[in-house]
């Protein structure tokens, strides 16, 4: 294991996409709740870095945003953009879609980083799922909203699809960039279908 | 400190008991909420490994489920069993009892692991209590339930009894297995009495 | 980086102030909810050490309360004092003021500890803010209260003022003790004004 100040390899873009869109989704929750600019920034940061922070703590990596200024400045910029340019009416719908992009990007990036740190396949898959979902969970819990986990449409499932496809393809030797692209698009497509069509798994009837 | 991929010593069984019963209790909450199978698994994993994960992060141990596949497969099996075989009517009562077993097992195992890592006695006691309670707390917060902490019957107290007895007996040199048995049974008995009889401490009257 | 069992330097007092007042604020929430003594202690510990624990995990420091008994005994004493001497009527108001002292002290101490561990300035600032706010956030989430983050008066802003002033003055070479005094008082004054006068930032109007 080596320090990981600047994430190497071709997936850096996915990481910044994940951070930026989760940061935007955090700021959008603050907008829905008509909070102040400072709370916008707080929500943007917590949502933007929450998932990746948990991932790094779990796999024993240095926490990715601690040794440079850039990550937090991205979150801060996201919060400012939402503050300046969003209309509240648009916020609720936009939130779901930004969250969907973040979910797919983080599921793939998280699983890949775990594999690079030598994590076993099942936990690496779980790392993708957990860390993709944690940003949104923290955001909802802090805002006092019912967690996105409990809503009827597919959510964790989309993260599981992206992380599972990626780990499977990586184990069978597919080039990382191609595997990331396929897995990320598949996860985003499934979550998008869930948002657009209310797609859901059968629920427990006990 | 050494890596701790397979927990050594005679308390391994307690660890797997704690993981499995907390995983079941997480899946039972998903059943009560009539969630999908994927959410069952998510809740089983988060509840099953949540307490031990916090413990390992706090004492600087490698997180126990990251380097092998078994722990997560146990959680997944627990979720599947609940999905296939539980009736919703039975879920609420069963939840309390599974949680009680997990509480006692984790209080003892957590305190023991902390002592093995050279943690001082009071924090080792706290480690047992905190990590025994954290699985259930995360489960309740995610499900949007009032936390089990705030319910009137004894809960933290039972964890404190188990962890406190164990640390005390371990310091005075009692064999670990015997100390674990006595402390775990005492904690489970107290929590069981609280469930069965509504036993509670006097509350603050201010 | 060296183990940090006893925090060095002149800011140790701030650390213990932060721990003690957050512990009191946790116990006061337990009092408001008419909980038992054990729950008082649990809330005192979680609120007292929550922020600093997150800070230490994020910067890769050994968790500060794990290697000695004193910190937890301070939290336990705080819980006992609240249990014995507080009237419920007084609790709500007192809670806000104890929380304000903890907020300012932790913002400064957290930012300073992060700088000492070589964290970059923006994350060091964020570390002060996040860790100052986390104790109160965990306390509110566990108690099922709306998070203090979402209330209208200035809260995160006061932590940001304290952490930001401190990091700025430290970078420009001001003696640490003086910088801590100025920054801590400024943060406390702002939060105090928010409590006393309902001072708030403009909120989002979308």
């Amino acid at each position: 294991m080596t320090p990981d100040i600047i994430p190497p390899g071709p997936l850096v873009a996915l990481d910044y996409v994940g951070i930026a869109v989760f940061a935007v989704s955090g700021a959008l929750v603050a907008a829905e709740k008509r909070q102040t600019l400072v709370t916008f920034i707080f929500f943007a940061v917590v949502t933007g870095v929450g998932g990746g922070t948990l991932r790094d703590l779990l796999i024993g990596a240095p926490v990715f945003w601690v040794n440079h200024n850039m990550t937090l400045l991205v979150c801060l910029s996201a919060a400012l953009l939402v503050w300046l340019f969003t209309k509240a009416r648009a916020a609720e719908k936009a939130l779901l879609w930004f969250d969907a992009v973040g979910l797919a990007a983080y599921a793939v990036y998280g699983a890949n980083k775990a594999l690079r740190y030598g994590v076993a396949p099942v936990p690496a898959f779980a790392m993708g799922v957990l860390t993709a979902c944690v940003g949104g969970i923290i955001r909802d819990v802090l805002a006092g909203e019912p967690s996105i986990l409990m809503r009827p449409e597919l959510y964790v499932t989309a993260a599981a699809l992206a992380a599972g496809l990626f780990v499977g393809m990586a184990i069978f030797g597919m080039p990382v960039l191609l595997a990331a692209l396929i897995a990320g698009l598949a996860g985003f497509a499934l979550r998008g279908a869930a948002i657009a069509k209310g797609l859901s798994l059968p629920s427990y009837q006990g």
Side-chain angles (χ1 to χ4, degrees), chain A:
Chain A
M1 296 187 201
T2 52
D4 195 37
I5 294 166
I6 299 174
L11 295 187
V12 172
L14 271 191
D15 194 26
Y16 276 95
V17 167
I19 292 162
V21 297
F22 273 132
V24 166
S25 85
L28 287 170
V29 167
E32 268 188 57
K33 300 273 172 179
R34 306 201 168 272
Q35 293 289 311
T36 69
L37 179 56
V38 171
T39 310
F40 271 60
I41 296 170
F42 190 90
F43 268 79
V45 168
V46 169
T47 312
V49 306
T53 300
L54 178 62
R55 175 200 65 215
D56 287 348
L57 291 174
L58 292 177
I59 66 179
V63 175
F64 68 104
W65 52 273
V66 164
N67 292 311
H68 57 272
N69 297 322
M70 181 55 75
T71 305
L72 293 181
L73 295 177
V74 167
C75 295
L76 193 141
S77 307
L80 275 175
L81 288 174
V82 172
W83 174 267
L84 292 173
F85 298 118
T86 309
K87 295 279 161 242
R89 193 180 297 268
E92 202 167 339
K93 201 76 184 172
L95 171 60
L96 285 172
W97 287 99
F98 275 97
D99 189 90
V101 174
L103 187 77
Y106 252 29
V108 170
Y109 184 82
N112 181 54
K113 186 164 182 182
L115 288 176
R116 283 198 294 112
Y117 268 75
V119 170
V122 175
F125 160 72
M127 216 62 81
V129 178
L130 280 177
T131 57
C133 299
V134 158
I137 290 172
I138 297 176
R139 178 194 64 212
D140 293 344
V141 167
L142 290 184
E145 293 279 297
S147 167
I148 200 163
L149 282 179
M150 310 300 289
R151 292 176 205 159
E153 341 91 55
L154 295 176
Y155 185 80
V156 182
T157 310
L161 178 66
L165 276 178
F166 180 80
V167 170
M169 291 189 288
I171 287 176
F172 285 106
M174 187 177 291
V176 164
L177 194 57
L178 183 60
L181 195 71
I182 295 173
L185 285 177
F188 176 73
L190 184 57
R191 177 66 189 142
I195 296 172
K197 315 253 181 203
L199 205 66
S200 66
L201 288 179
S203 64
Y204 180 76
Q205 297 304 333

